[in-house]
Structure formats: C-alpha cells, structure tokens
Amino acid sequence: MNDSPGWAVPGPSPSDGERPGAPDGRDGGEGAQPQPPAGGPKWSAEQPPPGEWSSPGAPQAPQPPQPPQVPQVPQPGAGTGWGGYGGPQGGQYGHPGGTGQWGKPPAAKPGVIPLRPLDLGEILDGAVATMRSHWRSVLPITLVVATVVQVISVLVQKYTLSDLPVASDPETSLRDVVDALGNTMLVLVANGFIQLIGTIVATAMLTMIFSRAVLGHGSTIGEAWREARPRLPRLLGLTLLLALGGVAVVLVLILPGIALGSIGVGLLGGFAAVPLVIWLGIKFSLASPSLMLEKSGVVTALRRSSKLVQGSWWRIFGITALTGLITAFVSAIIIWPLTALGLVVGLSDAGPNALENGTAATGWAALVLSAIGAIIAQTITMPIQSGVTVLLYVDQRIRREALDLELARAAGLENYGSDPAAPPTGG
C-alpha cells in the first residue's frame, strides 16, 4: 500500500498525446507536418473526424467515413476534467483519467470512514460521526464514568482539602502542615487511581464501539462491555507501564542535578525530559487500540505501535496535538463559566474573607458547579479523543498493511480491491 498521504489513482492517466484518435501525439499545432494529398497514403482509421486537432488555416483533406464510435459510459464518481462540473456525482473535481474527488478513486464507505488512507478532516469527522450516529452507546458510557469520577473528586476535595491548615494561621506548626499534606497526598493518589480505572474502562468500551462503527455495525453497551472486559487487566498494565516509564525518564534526567545540588543541572535535565517523554508518548500512542483490537500482549502492543508510528511520527503528533487543543478549548468554555459562577456563589455565602481562608473554592456551590461542568466536558471530549486514536490506528494499518481489504471483507463487500474499475457490491 502507498505509505504517503493520499490515494494512488489505479492505472496510468492518459496524457493529451495518448488520447484515442491522436496520431503520434501531434495535434496539428505549430510545427506539424502538412497533410498528405488525397492520392497519397491512406489515413489511419484512428484519425479524428474533421474539425478536431487540426492546424489553423490548414486545408482539410477528404477522409474516409469513420467507423461508428461506441459511446463511453462514465464511471460513477468520475470527474469531468480540471475544475469541471457536471459529473455523475455533480460538482466533483477530478483530473483526466482520475476518478472521484481530486483524483481519489471511489472508496467503499460501509461505516463512518471511507476504506482508504484518511486525512485529518476525515479522522475528526469519523470520530464526531460515531458520536452522532451511535450516541445511545457512546454517551451513556462517558456520562456514567465522568459522573462517578467527579462525585468522588468532589468528596475528596470537600473533606480532605478543606482540612488543610492555612499557612497564614499563626497557630499552625510545621509538623501539622507536613502531616496534613501527607494525608492529602494519599487521598489524592487514591482519587487519581479511581479516575484512571474509570478512564481505562471508558476507553476500552469506546474502542470496541468505534471499531464496529468503521464497518457500519452498531454496538450496544452490553456488547461493548463483553468484548472489552477480558482485555481490561492488560490495558491497565499497559497504562501503568507507560505512566511509570514517563516518570522514570524524568527522574533519570533530573537525578544528576539533585546529586550535584545544582538547580541549573536539574532544570536542564527537566527540559530535556519533556521532548523525550512526548516522543515516547507518540511512539506508543497506538498501543492501546492494538492491544484491544488485535488481542495481543502488552509488549507486543508496544512493538506494534512503534512499528505503525515509524515514519509518520510528525503526522500523528500533529493530529494528536490538534485534537488535544480542540478538546481543551471545548472543556474550557464549559468548565470555566460554571467554576466562576460557583466562586461567586461561594463568596456570597461565606463572606469577603472566603478567598483568603480558602473556603470559597472548597464550598459546596463551587465544587458542585465545577463538577457539573467537568461531567459535561468529559462526556463530550472523551469519545473524540478515543475515536481519533482508534481511527489513527486504522489509518496507519490501511497505509502499511492493506487493512482496508480486510475491513471490506468483514463489512460484506464483494470484489473489493480486485478490479479498481468495478465498484464493490454488497454481500
């Protein structure tokens, strides 16, 4: 398969000099030889009728009658030339010899994406289209997970963070602050682990839903859970391994600064760790769908991701970063107004000193409104992020391993890929 962006046009495109009816590529333009007299050699039967491909002002020689031409039936989706309209699909652009929009051949689309290498717009559109067409399965999963996680987070912030001693309190000793911070860290780690479990469960189930949506198949919540449940322990191990690996990289690079007692060396190591962690994160970003859909082990999934990303690191990084920016912007415009409203309500209830003593941020109004905003934001953005990852995995396998042929067979399309001129038929 072609590993570069786009989709190769099947077969060579005929040039102007190779069109049926053009003798030796000469069109009667400047430098063309004069036509032979009537008594000279016979014209080839391939010559065009009078009035086509003739020199300006050249005398027209009598020509024998032409054999009847068999009209050519345009293929579905064929273009009408550069910038031409009026094809069978109406308004599609193509080049001479090409089929489909901008020279791409017509690809089967049994589900949310066409079965060919995808561009950025098609990947994002596929993720959103799955949310829209399979919302009965997608949204309940993310809504339940986000609600459970945020309820636990609200309880932790209310009954743990509110117990932290305020530094401005003169009666607070250093030992009290250290003990309170230690207990808070333990609670926050436990809360983070619960959030991690919820995210893994949602990611696993969404991966199954998106994989079936590529084939045009629906999936219920029960079906997604039954397919994802056996893979959850390995997915948890993969996620923890990647997290621990990132932490280990950072520690290794800042340890020299700590050992030497040099802040500059430590900062230099920290700055060097950031691009390295990003590089490793993108390199292994396709390990999760590989583990879930290929039913492989953790190490095998890491190898598969490294192989699929090789040569396309910058492309995958750009799509992943853009998706992160879009989801962050959507989350911000949902969460920030509700959080600000919660702080205003907290100030009105607790008085003007609420910001100084920290009670405004840990009041019920601020916590609940902020949690509602986070639930709405995660319900919307979590499927987009999971969908883009799954579709990137599918796209890379189409480019590298001709996965589109297997997907077409799985979708029940007969004769797909055997004859580029023949459209696939439903099986």
Side-chain angles (χ1 to χ4, degrees):
M1 299 300 293
N2 185 14
D3 192 37
S4 60
W7 189 254
V9 178
S13 301
S15 61
D16 290 341
E18 298 172 345
R19 295 182 181 178
D24 298 331
R26 292 176 296 196
D27 58 357
E30 186 175 345
Q33 298 295 330
Q35 298 180 2
K42 297 295 184 181
W43 289 93
S44 170
E46 299 294 327
Q47 290 297 321
E52 295 185 13
W53 303 97
S54 59
S55 300
Q60 297 291 337
Q63 300 178 10
Q66 300 296 320
Q69 299 288 334
V70 179
Q72 296 183 355
V73 180
Q75 295 294 331
T80 58
W82 293 104
Y85 289 86
Q89 301 299 328
Q92 292 196 5
Y93 295 83
H95 62 78
T99 56
Q101 293 184 342
W102 297 104
K104 294 180 180 179
K109 189 178 180 181
V112 295
I113 59 170
L115 300 184
R116 56 169 170 75
L118 307 174
D119 54 31
L120 170 62
E122 290 169 336
I123 291 175
L124 293 175
D125 180 71
V128 176
T130 303
M131 288 180 56
R132 185 172 59 249
S133 57
H134 302 278
W135 63 271
R136 290 183 179 86
S137 301
V138 173
L139 296 184
I141 293 174
T142 55
L143 179 61
V144 170
V145 170
T147 302
V148 172
V149 168
Q150 290 303 317
V151 166
I152 296 175
S153 177
V154 166
L155 295 178
V156 168
Q157 293 179 67
K158 179 61 180 177
Y159 294 107
T160 302
L161 298 182
S162 59
D163 293 338
L164 287 176
V166 181
S168 60
D169 189 355
E171 298 180 359
T172 302
S173 63
L174 180 61
R175 182 178 181 82
D176 294 336
V177 173
V178 172
D179 292 340
L181 287 176
N183 296 332
T184 302
M185 288 300 298
L186 291 177
V187 175
L188 291 179
V189 169
N191 182 39
F193 184 76
I194 294 174
Q195 293 185 9
L196 176 65
I197 295 297
T199 303
I200 289 176
V201 172
T203 300
M205 298 177 67
L206 291 175
T207 299
M208 296 305 175
I209 294 175
F210 275 94
S211 65
R212 294 174 65 88
V214 169
L215 302 176
H217 300 163
S219 180
T220 63
I221 298 177
E223 292 172 344
W225 170 249
R226 286 192 294 271
E227 293 176 356
R229 183 176 55 187
R231 316 299 304 167
L232 289 178
R234 293 187 179 184
L235 183 60
L236 175 61
L238 173 65
T239 305
L240 292 177
L241 180 62
L242 291 176
L244 293 176
V247 172
V249 169
V250 175
L251 290 178
V252 167
L253 291 178
I254 65 174
L255 275 179
I258 297 176
L260 296 175
S262 173
I263 299 178
V265 176
L267 290 177
L268 183 62
F271 288 140
V274 173
L276 182 57
V277 169
I278 294 176
W279 179 77
L280 291 174
I282 298 298
K283 184 180 180 65
F284 299 122
S285 61
L286 304 183
S288 173
S290 175
L291 184 144
M292 295 298 300
L293 300 179
E294 297 180 20
K295 295 180 173 57
S296 60
V298 173
V299 178
T300 304
L302 293 174
R303 288 202 208 99
R304 288 284 293 145
S305 177
S306 177
K307 180 181 178 182
L308 292 174
V309 174
Q310 185 178 6
S312 302
W313 189 94
W314 283 107
R315 176 176 178 272
I316 296 176
F317 168 75
I319 296 176
T320 304
L322 180 60
T323 303
L325 290 176
I326 293 174
T327 54
F329 178 75
V330 173
S331 300
I333 62 177
I334 295 175
I335 296 177
W336 287 355
L338 291 175
T339 303
L341 179 61
L343 290 176
V344 170
V345 175
L347 286 174
S348 63
D349 293 340
N353 296 328
L355 287 177
E356 181 181 354
N357 56 30
T359 57
T362 58
W364 281 113
L367 293 176
V368 170
L369 288 176
S370 178
I372 291 175
I375 291 172
I376 298 173
Q378 291 181 4
T379 302
I380 297 174
T381 59
M382 194 183 300
I384 296 178
Q385 292 175 325
S386 299
V388 167
T389 302
V390 173
L391 295 181
L392 274 174
Y393 164 81
V394 173
D395 173 61
Q396 288 301 113
R397 288 202 60 187
I398 288 177
R399 294 171 183 268
R400 300 291 179 86
E401 303 170 357
L403 182 65
D404 55 327
L405 302 180
E406 298 181 18
L407 293 176
R409 286 192 293 267
L413 300 178
E414 298 178 357
N415 302 324
Y416 183 83
S418 59
D419 184 7
T425 58

